[in-house]
PDB file of all heavy atoms in Angstrom:
ATOM      1  N   PRO J 841     -24.997  -8.853  26.644  1.00  0.00           N
ATOM      2  CA  PRO J 841     -23.970  -7.819  26.658  1.00  0.00           C
ATOM      3  C   PRO J 841     -23.225  -7.717  25.331  1.00  0.00           C
ATOM      4  O   PRO J 841     -22.761  -6.623  24.960  1.00  0.00           O
ATOM      5  CB  PRO J 841     -23.010  -8.245  27.762  1.00  0.00           C
ATOM      6  CG  PRO J 841     -23.551  -9.454  28.379  1.00  0.00           C
ATOM      7  CD  PRO J 841     -24.789  -9.881  27.678  1.00  0.00           C
ATOM      8  N   PHE J 844     -25.412  -5.680  23.177  1.00  0.00           N
ATOM      9  CA  PHE J 844     -25.351  -4.306  23.687  1.00  0.00           C
ATOM     10  C   PHE J 844     -24.082  -3.607  23.201  1.00  0.00           C
ATOM     11  O   PHE J 844     -24.134  -2.492  22.682  1.00  0.00           O
ATOM     12  CB  PHE J 844     -25.411  -4.325  25.220  1.00  0.00           C
ATOM     13  CG  PHE J 844     -25.219  -2.975  25.845  1.00  0.00           C
ATOM     14  CD1 PHE J 844     -26.248  -2.056  25.882  1.00  0.00           C
ATOM     15  CD2 PHE J 844     -23.990  -2.627  26.393  1.00  0.00           C
ATOM     16  CE1 PHE J 844     -26.062  -0.815  26.447  1.00  0.00           C
ATOM     17  CE2 PHE J 844     -23.799  -1.387  26.962  1.00  0.00           C
ATOM     18  CZ  PHE J 844     -24.830  -0.476  26.996  1.00  0.00           C
ATOM     19  N   GLY J 845     -22.935  -4.285  23.377  1.00  0.00           N
ATOM     20  CA  GLY J 845     -21.658  -3.699  22.954  1.00  0.00           C
ATOM     21  C   GLY J 845     -21.637  -3.428  21.465  1.00  0.00           C
ATOM     22  O   GLY J 845     -21.185  -2.374  21.012  1.00  0.00           O
ATOM     23  N   ASN J 925     -19.487  10.601  36.838  1.00  0.00           N
ATOM     24  CA  ASN J 925     -18.496   9.598  37.216  1.00  0.00           C
ATOM     25  C   ASN J 925     -18.016   8.877  35.965  1.00  0.00           C
ATOM     26  O   ASN J 925     -18.314   7.725  35.736  1.00  0.00           O
ATOM     27  CB  ASN J 925     -19.097   8.619  38.223  1.00  0.00           C
ATOM     28  CG  ASN J 925     -18.080   7.600  38.678  1.00  0.00           C
ATOM     29  OD1 ASN J 925     -16.889   7.880  38.658  1.00  0.00           O
ATOM     30  ND2 ASN J 925     -18.547   6.434  39.075  1.00  0.00           N
ATOM     31  N   GLU J 927     -15.197   7.246  33.785  1.00  0.00           N
ATOM     32  CA  GLU J 927     -13.869   6.656  33.911  1.00  0.00           C
ATOM     33  C   GLU J 927     -13.237   6.558  32.545  1.00  0.00           C
ATOM     34  O   GLU J 927     -13.911   6.324  31.549  1.00  0.00           O
ATOM     35  CB  GLU J 927     -13.962   5.273  34.550  1.00  0.00           C
ATOM     36  CG  GLU J 927     -14.372   5.336  36.012  1.00  0.00           C
ATOM     37  CD  GLU J 927     -14.602   3.948  36.593  1.00  0.00           C
ATOM     38  OE1 GLU J 927     -13.869   3.035  36.193  1.00  0.00           O
ATOM     39  OE2 GLU J 927     -15.504   3.816  37.417  1.00  0.00           O
ATOM     40  N   ARG J 933      -7.688   1.965  24.769  1.00  0.00           N
ATOM     41  CA  ARG J 933      -8.269   0.771  24.142  1.00  0.00           C
ATOM     42  C   ARG J 933      -9.727   0.645  24.558  1.00  0.00           C
ATOM     43  O   ARG J 933     -10.163  -0.374  25.076  1.00  0.00           O
ATOM     44  CB  ARG J 933      -7.452  -0.454  24.533  1.00  0.00           C
ATOM     45  CG  ARG J 933      -6.008  -0.322  24.111  1.00  0.00           C
ATOM     46  CD  ARG J 933      -5.114  -1.413  24.644  1.00  0.00           C
ATOM     47  NE  ARG J 933      -5.420  -2.688  24.048  1.00  0.00           N
ATOM     48  CZ  ARG J 933      -5.893  -3.725  24.724  1.00  0.00           C
ATOM     49  NH1 ARG J 933      -6.122  -3.625  26.007  1.00  0.00           N
ATOM     50  NH2 ARG J 933      -6.132  -4.853  24.118  1.00  0.00           N
ATOM     51  N   SER J 934     -10.481   1.702  24.330  1.00  0.00           N
ATOM     52  CA  SER J 934     -11.856   1.748  24.798  1.00  0.00           C
ATOM     53  C   SER J 934     -12.826   1.766  23.631  1.00  0.00           C
ATOM     54  O   SER J 934     -12.437   1.904  22.474  1.00  0.00           O
ATOM     55  CB  SER J 934     -12.058   2.992  25.664  1.00  0.00           C
ATOM     56  OG  SER J 934     -11.680   4.129  24.941  1.00  0.00           O
ATOM     57  N   LEU J 935     -14.108   1.657  23.973  1.00  0.00           N
ATOM     58  CA  LEU J 935     -15.128   1.622  22.951  1.00  0.00           C
ATOM     59  C   LEU J 935     -15.160   2.918  22.144  1.00  0.00           C
ATOM     60  O   LEU J 935     -15.422   2.905  20.942  1.00  0.00           O
ATOM     61  CB  LEU J 935     -16.499   1.376  23.586  1.00  0.00           C
ATOM     62  CG  LEU J 935     -17.584   1.012  22.580  1.00  0.00           C
ATOM     63  CD1 LEU J 935     -17.474  -0.440  22.212  1.00  0.00           C
ATOM     64  CD2 LEU J 935     -18.953   1.319  23.122  1.00  0.00           C
ATOM     65  N   LEU J1014     -10.019  -2.831  20.726  1.00  0.00           N
ATOM     66  CA  LEU J1014     -10.790  -2.841  21.965  1.00  0.00           C
ATOM     67  C   LEU J1014     -10.214  -3.816  22.985  1.00  0.00           C
ATOM     68  O   LEU J1014      -9.825  -4.928  22.664  1.00  0.00           O
ATOM     69  CB  LEU J1014     -12.234  -3.220  21.627  1.00  0.00           C
ATOM     70  CG  LEU J1014     -13.280  -2.928  22.688  1.00  0.00           C
ATOM     71  CD1 LEU J1014     -13.306  -1.459  23.012  1.00  0.00           C
ATOM     72  CD2 LEU J1014     -14.632  -3.376  22.182  1.00  0.00           C
ATOM     73  N   SER J1015     -10.182  -3.371  24.219  1.00  0.00           N
ATOM     74  CA  SER J1015      -9.869  -4.250  25.330  1.00  0.00           C
ATOM     75  C   SER J1015     -11.193  -4.840  25.788  1.00  0.00           C
ATOM     76  O   SER J1015     -12.040  -4.127  26.306  1.00  0.00           O
ATOM     77  CB  SER J1015      -9.219  -3.417  26.427  1.00  0.00           C
ATOM     78  OG  SER J1015      -9.200  -4.119  27.619  1.00  0.00           O
ATOM     79  N   PRO J1016     -11.414  -6.141  25.544  1.00  0.00           N
ATOM     80  CA  PRO J1016     -12.775  -6.654  25.673  1.00  0.00           C
ATOM     81  C   PRO J1016     -13.249  -6.871  27.106  1.00  0.00           C
ATOM     82  O   PRO J1016     -12.465  -7.095  28.023  1.00  0.00           O
ATOM     83  CB  PRO J1016     -12.712  -7.989  24.931  1.00  0.00           C
ATOM     84  CG  PRO J1016     -11.291  -8.373  24.928  1.00  0.00           C
ATOM     85  CD  PRO J1016     -10.468  -7.155  25.072  1.00  0.00           C
ATOM     86  N   GLY J1017     -14.529  -6.780  27.264  1.00  0.00           N
ATOM     87  CA  GLY J1017     -15.188  -7.060  28.527  1.00  0.00           C
ATOM     88  C   GLY J1017     -16.660  -7.279  28.217  1.00  0.00           C
ATOM     89  O   GLY J1017     -17.099  -7.045  27.098  1.00  0.00           O
ATOM     90  N   LEU J1018     -17.410  -7.745  29.195  1.00  0.00           N
ATOM     91  CA  LEU J1018     -18.818  -8.048  28.937  1.00  0.00           C
ATOM     92  C   LEU J1018     -19.681  -7.380  29.990  1.00  0.00           C
ATOM     93  O   LEU J1018     -19.896  -7.938  31.064  1.00  0.00           O
ATOM     94  CB  LEU J1018     -19.047  -9.558  28.975  1.00  0.00           C
ATOM     95  CG  LEU J1018     -18.477 -10.401  27.842  1.00  0.00           C
ATOM     96  CD1 LEU J1018     -18.478 -11.860  28.213  1.00  0.00           C
ATOM     97  CD2 LEU J1018     -19.275 -10.184  26.575  1.00  0.00           C
ATOM     98  N   SER J1019     -20.162  -6.196  29.700  1.00  0.00           N
ATOM     99  CA  SER J1019     -21.056  -5.574  30.672  1.00  0.00           C
ATOM    100  C   SER J1019     -21.993  -4.609  29.969  1.00  0.00           C
ATOM    101  O   SER J1019     -21.725  -4.153  28.860  1.00  0.00           O
ATOM    102  CB  SER J1019     -20.245  -4.829  31.735  1.00  0.00           C
ATOM    103  OG  SER J1019     -19.617  -3.712  31.160  1.00  0.00           O
ATOM    104  N   TYR J1020     -23.095  -4.335  30.644  1.00  0.00           N
ATOM    105  CA  TYR J1020     -24.001  -3.292  30.166  1.00  0.00           C
ATOM    106  C   TYR J1020     -23.518  -1.993  30.772  1.00  0.00           C
ATOM    107  O   TYR J1020     -23.916  -1.628  31.871  1.00  0.00           O
ATOM    108  CB  TYR J1020     -25.430  -3.564  30.610  1.00  0.00           C
ATOM    109  CG  TYR J1020     -26.034  -4.835  30.071  1.00  0.00           C
ATOM    110  CD1 TYR J1020     -26.106  -5.969  30.857  1.00  0.00           C
ATOM    111  CD2 TYR J1020     -26.541  -4.886  28.777  1.00  0.00           C
ATOM    112  CE1 TYR J1020     -26.676  -7.133  30.379  1.00  0.00           C
ATOM    113  CE2 TYR J1020     -27.098  -6.043  28.290  1.00  0.00           C
ATOM    114  CZ  TYR J1020     -27.172  -7.170  29.088  1.00  0.00           C
ATOM    115  OH  TYR J1020     -27.724  -8.315  28.611  1.00  0.00           O
ATOM    116  N   SER J1021     -22.632  -1.300  30.111  1.00  0.00           N
ATOM    117  CA  SER J1021     -22.072  -0.098  30.702  1.00  0.00           C
ATOM    118  C   SER J1021     -21.997   0.995  29.657  1.00  0.00           C
ATOM    119  O   SER J1021     -21.737   0.728  28.487  1.00  0.00           O
ATOM    120  CB  SER J1021     -20.679  -0.406  31.252  1.00  0.00           C
ATOM    121  OG  SER J1021     -19.961   0.782  31.430  1.00  0.00           O
ATOM    122  N   PHE J1022     -22.205   2.224  30.096  1.00  0.00           N
ATOM    123  CA  PHE J1022     -22.069   3.343  29.171  1.00  0.00           C
ATOM    124  C   PHE J1022     -20.742   4.067  29.370  1.00  0.00           C
ATOM    125  O   PHE J1022     -20.567   5.188  28.905  1.00  0.00           O
ATOM    126  CB  PHE J1022     -23.244   4.304  29.320  1.00  0.00           C
ATOM    127  CG  PHE J1022     -24.512   3.778  28.707  1.00  0.00           C
ATOM    128  CD1 PHE J1022     -25.483   3.192  29.492  1.00  0.00           C
ATOM    129  CD2 PHE J1022     -24.698   3.830  27.334  1.00  0.00           C
ATOM    130  CE1 PHE J1022     -26.638   2.681  28.923  1.00  0.00           C
ATOM    131  CE2 PHE J1022     -25.855   3.319  26.760  1.00  0.00           C
ATOM    132  CZ  PHE J1022     -26.822   2.742  27.548  1.00  0.00           C
ATOM    133  N   GLN J1023     -19.813   3.424  30.090  1.00  0.00           N
ATOM    134  CA  GLN J1023     -18.491   4.021  30.279  1.00  0.00           C
ATOM    135  C   GLN J1023     -17.670   3.801  29.017  1.00  0.00           C
ATOM    136  O   GLN J1023     -16.780   2.956  28.970  1.00  0.00           O
ATOM    137  CB  GLN J1023     -17.787   3.369  31.480  1.00  0.00           C
ATOM    138  CG  GLN J1023     -18.458   3.606  32.808  1.00  0.00           C
ATOM    139  CD  GLN J1023     -18.135   4.963  33.370  1.00  0.00           C
ATOM    140  OE1 GLN J1023     -17.494   5.780  32.709  1.00  0.00           O
ATOM    141  NE2 GLN J1023     -18.582   5.228  34.589  1.00  0.00           N
ATOM    142  N   ILE J1024     -17.943   4.611  28.001  1.00  0.00           N
ATOM    143  CA  ILE J1024     -17.333   4.319  26.705  1.00  0.00           C
ATOM    144  C   ILE J1024     -15.850   4.679  26.664  1.00  0.00           C
ATOM    145  O   ILE J1024     -15.154   4.291  25.745  1.00  0.00           O
ATOM    146  CB  ILE J1024     -18.065   5.054  25.561  1.00  0.00           C
ATOM    147  CG1 ILE J1024     -18.117   6.537  25.857  1.00  0.00           C
ATOM    148  CG2 ILE J1024     -19.438   4.478  25.362  1.00  0.00           C
ATOM    149  CD1 ILE J1024     -18.548   7.350  24.665  1.00  0.00           C
ATOM    150  N   PHE J1025     -15.365   5.446  27.639  1.00  0.00           N
ATOM    151  CA  PHE J1025     -13.945   5.805  27.613  1.00  0.00           C
ATOM    152  C   PHE J1025     -13.107   4.836  28.426  1.00  0.00           C
ATOM    153  O   PHE J1025     -11.895   4.947  28.476  1.00  0.00           O
ATOM    154  CB  PHE J1025     -13.747   7.230  28.146  1.00  0.00           C
ATOM    155  CG  PHE J1025     -14.507   8.253  27.367  1.00  0.00           C
ATOM    156  CD1 PHE J1025     -15.531   8.984  27.945  1.00  0.00           C
ATOM    157  CD2 PHE J1025     -14.194   8.480  26.037  1.00  0.00           C
ATOM    158  CE1 PHE J1025     -16.230   9.914  27.206  1.00  0.00           C
ATOM    159  CE2 PHE J1025     -14.901   9.405  25.298  1.00  0.00           C
ATOM    160  CZ  PHE J1025     -15.916  10.128  25.879  1.00  0.00           C
ATOM    161  N   ASP J1026     -13.765   3.907  29.096  1.00  0.00           N
ATOM    162  CA  ASP J1026     -13.046   2.957  29.926  1.00  0.00           C
ATOM    163  C   ASP J1026     -12.847   1.666  29.139  1.00  0.00           C
ATOM    164  O   ASP J1026     -13.655   1.304  28.291  1.00  0.00           O
ATOM    165  CB  ASP J1026     -13.849   2.694  31.204  1.00  0.00           C
ATOM    166  CG  ASP J1026     -12.963   2.095  32.267  1.00  0.00           C
ATOM    167  OD1 ASP J1026     -11.731   2.200  32.123  1.00  0.00           O
ATOM    168  OD2 ASP J1026     -13.496   1.541  33.237  1.00  0.00           O
ATOM    169  N   SER J1027     -11.749   0.987  29.443  1.00  0.00           N
ATOM    170  CA  SER J1027     -11.496  -0.253  28.718  1.00  0.00           C
ATOM    171  C   SER J1027     -12.025  -1.442  29.514  1.00  0.00           C
ATOM    172  O   SER J1027     -12.328  -1.333  30.693  1.00  0.00           O
ATOM    173  CB  SER J1027     -10.001  -0.405  28.477  1.00  0.00           C
ATOM    174  OG  SER J1027      -9.337  -0.325  29.700  1.00  0.00           O
ATOM    175  N   GLY J1028     -12.107  -2.561  28.825  1.00  0.00           N
ATOM    176  CA  GLY J1028     -12.550  -3.776  29.496  1.00  0.00           C
ATOM    177  C   GLY J1028     -14.020  -3.763  29.865  1.00  0.00           C
ATOM    178  O   GLY J1028     -14.442  -4.457  30.780  1.00  0.00           O
ATOM    179  N   ARG J1029     -14.821  -2.991  29.161  1.00  0.00           N
ATOM    180  CA  ARG J1029     -16.250  -2.923  29.467  1.00  0.00           C
ATOM    181  C   ARG J1029     -17.100  -3.620  28.412  1.00  0.00           C
ATOM    182  O   ARG J1029     -18.122  -4.187  28.710  1.00  0.00           O
ATOM    183  CB  ARG J1029     -16.704  -1.463  29.556  1.00  0.00           C
ATOM    184  CG  ARG J1029     -15.987  -0.669  30.603  1.00  0.00           C
ATOM    185  CD  ARG J1029     -16.654  -0.856  31.935  1.00  0.00           C
ATOM    186  NE  ARG J1029     -16.072   0.058  32.904  1.00  0.00           N
ATOM    187  CZ  ARG J1029     -16.617   0.285  34.092  1.00  0.00           C
ATOM    188  NH1 ARG J1029     -17.722  -0.316  34.442  1.00  0.00           N
ATOM    189  NH2 ARG J1029     -16.050   1.109  34.930  1.00  0.00           N
ATOM    190  N   HIS J1030     -16.690  -3.454  27.165  1.00  0.00           N
ATOM    191  CA  HIS J1030     -17.536  -3.937  26.072  1.00  0.00           C
ATOM    192  C   HIS J1030     -16.748  -4.813  25.118  1.00  0.00           C
ATOM    193  O   HIS J1030     -15.527  -4.780  25.083  1.00  0.00           O
ATOM    194  CB  HIS J1030     -18.089  -2.766  25.248  1.00  0.00           C
ATOM    195  CG  HIS J1030     -18.604  -1.638  26.062  1.00  0.00           C
ATOM    196  ND1 HIS J1030     -17.813  -0.565  26.431  1.00  0.00           N
ATOM    197  CD2 HIS J1030     -19.802  -1.418  26.600  1.00  0.00           C
ATOM    198  CE1 HIS J1030     -18.533   0.265  27.155  1.00  0.00           C
ATOM    199  NE2 HIS J1030     -19.738  -0.218  27.278  1.00  0.00           N
ATOM    200  N   THR J1031     -17.478  -5.541  24.322  1.00  0.00           N
ATOM    201  CA  THR J1031     -16.904  -6.128  23.131  1.00  0.00           C
ATOM    202  C   THR J1031     -18.045  -6.285  22.136  1.00  0.00           C
ATOM    203  O   THR J1031     -19.199  -6.082  22.482  1.00  0.00           O
ATOM    204  CB  THR J1031     -16.224  -7.472  23.420  1.00  0.00           C
ATOM    205  OG1 THR J1031     -15.552  -7.909  22.258  1.00  0.00           O
ATOM    206  CG2 THR J1031     -17.212  -8.529  23.838  1.00  0.00           C
TER     207      THR J1031
ATOM    208  N   GLU R1314     -15.598 -12.354  34.412  1.00  0.00           N
ATOM    209  CA  GLU R1314     -15.881 -11.152  33.638  1.00  0.00           C
ATOM    210  C   GLU R1314     -16.564 -10.074  34.463  1.00  0.00           C
ATOM    211  O   GLU R1314     -16.605  -8.929  34.065  1.00  0.00           O
ATOM    212  CB  GLU R1314     -16.685 -11.510  32.390  1.00  0.00           C
ATOM    213  CG  GLU R1314     -18.180 -11.550  32.559  1.00  0.00           C
ATOM    214  CD  GLU R1314     -18.632 -12.554  33.586  1.00  0.00           C
ATOM    215  OE1 GLU R1314     -17.978 -13.615  33.674  1.00  0.00           O
ATOM    216  OE2 GLU R1314     -19.604 -12.269  34.299  1.00  0.00           O
ATOM    217  N   ILE R1316     -15.435  -8.812  37.069  1.00  0.00           N
ATOM    218  CA  ILE R1316     -14.433  -7.921  37.648  1.00  0.00           C
ATOM    219  C   ILE R1316     -14.191  -6.739  36.710  1.00  0.00           C
ATOM    220  O   ILE R1316     -13.996  -5.616  37.143  1.00  0.00           O
ATOM    221  CB  ILE R1316     -13.112  -8.687  37.903  1.00  0.00           C
ATOM    222  CG1 ILE R1316     -13.340  -9.738  38.985  1.00  0.00           C
ATOM    223  CG2 ILE R1316     -12.018  -7.728  38.322  1.00  0.00           C
ATOM    224  CD1 ILE R1316     -12.130 -10.585  39.261  1.00  0.00           C
ATOM    225  N   GLY R1317     -14.234  -7.011  35.428  1.00  0.00           N
ATOM    226  CA  GLY R1317     -13.988  -5.938  34.463  1.00  0.00           C
ATOM    227  C   GLY R1317     -12.513  -5.597  34.408  1.00  0.00           C
ATOM    228  O   GLY R1317     -11.658  -6.399  34.757  1.00  0.00           O
ATOM    229  N   GLY R1318     -12.210  -4.408  33.982  1.00  0.00           N
ATOM    230  CA  GLY R1318     -10.818  -3.995  33.897  1.00  0.00           C
ATOM    231  C   GLY R1318     -10.235  -4.253  32.525  1.00  0.00           C
ATOM    232  O   GLY R1318     -10.854  -4.853  31.654  1.00  0.00           O
ATOM    233  N   GLU R1319      -9.019  -3.769  32.364  1.00  0.00           N
ATOM    234  CA  GLU R1319      -8.314  -3.868  31.082  1.00  0.00           C
ATOM    235  C   GLU R1319      -8.064  -5.337  30.733  1.00  0.00           C
ATOM    236  O   GLU R1319      -7.762  -6.148  31.601  1.00  0.00           O
ATOM    237  CB  GLU R1319      -6.988  -3.142  31.212  1.00  0.00           C
ATOM    238  CG  GLU R1319      -6.293  -2.889  29.917  1.00  0.00           C
ATOM    239  CD  GLU R1319      -6.695  -1.567  29.300  1.00  0.00           C
ATOM    240  OE1 GLU R1319      -7.112  -0.652  30.029  1.00  0.00           O
ATOM    241  OE2 GLU R1319      -6.595  -1.460  28.092  1.00  0.00           O
ATOM    242  N   SER R1320      -8.155  -5.676  29.455  1.00  0.00           N
ATOM    243  CA  SER R1320      -7.869  -7.042  29.049  1.00  0.00           C
ATOM    244  C   SER R1320      -7.293  -7.052  27.648  1.00  0.00           C
ATOM    245  O   SER R1320      -7.400  -6.074  26.920  1.00  0.00           O
ATOM    246  CB  SER R1320      -9.133  -7.892  29.104  1.00  0.00           C
ATOM    247  OG  SER R1320     -10.066  -7.419  28.168  1.00  0.00           O
TER     248      SER R1320
END
Side-chain angles (χ1 to χ4, degrees):
Chain J
F844 174 78
N925 182 27
E927 291 174 36
R933 301 172 68 245
S934 55
L935 193 80
L1014 196 59
S1015 165
L1018 290 165
S1019 68
Y1020 297 101
S1021 161
F1022 285 100
Q1023 296 280 6
I1024 55 168
F1025 301 115
D1026 199 17
S1027 55
R1029 301 275 188 168
H1030 315 92
T1031 187
Chain R
E1314 87 300 325
I1316 294 177
E1319 193 90 25
S1320 64

